Amino acid sequence: LNDQVVWVAYDITDRKAAEAAIQKRDSILKATARANHKLLTTTDSNRAIELALHEIGTALNVERAYIFEISGSQGEAYHSCRARFEWLQDESLPSVLRHRSWQGIIFEDFFPGWHERLTGFGIIRVEGFNQNRLLPIQYRELNSQSLLVIPMWIDDELYGFFAVDYCSLEHQWNEGEIDAVRVLASSISGLILI
């Protein structure tokens, strides 16, 4: 008899990628649940929103999460808006709240085309440098590379939007991330309504 060794190798790259995607999805779902719990159990609503932004921002591994409030009724030609809440992964990142030109602005001038998209129940996705032209110049000043914007509704009126973004890298938003931000935007809208 000859002594022979047979080696068999399987490429498990796809399986490992699928497992990582499932772990990421589970992490996002758990963070969404924790964020909703904080919204329901924290008595100070402003603090509850800050904690919820931290939970979802950390789970999505984004660098910024923030909420803009839009004022004015649907029939008006122009609406004002202002940044209300923000979470930063790192305090050295450019801040939306500390950026003076982002407070008390005309929404349609500052974010051209966004009002129509958001009131049509659409979302705004910017996924990397090639789509950076879709960003208002002010987002470029904040080093935003990839952006996800979800409308927030109160009593069938556009209240504002919930946004998350990456500053240091380009990112392709997946459905799990979009759904998590959408759920949290809805939950925060419900808290604000109360």
Side-chain angles (χ1 to χ4, degrees), residues 114-156:
W114 284 28
H115 193 266
E116 294 78 18
R117 166 89 49 90
L118 294 174
T119 56
F121 297 95
I123 65 172
I124 295 164
R125 287 160 83 146
V126 176
E127 298 176 324
F129 184 76
N130 291 336
Q131 292 186 6
N132 238 355
R133 60 182 165 44
L134 300 175
L135 289 174
I137 189 73
Q138 294 82 359
Y139 269 102
R140 291 186 215 129
E141 291 172 5
L142 291 173
N143 302 326
S144 187
Q145 294 294 313
S146 295
L147 170 72
L148 176 62
V149 178
I150 305 290
M152 296 176 67
W153 299 92
I154 295 180
D155 291 334
D156 296 326

Side-chain angles (χ1 to χ4, degrees), residues 101-113:
S101 66
W102 287 62
Q103 300 299 327
I105 56 177
I106 302 297
F107 185 67
E108 289 78 4
D109 291 343
F110 207 74
F111 303 103

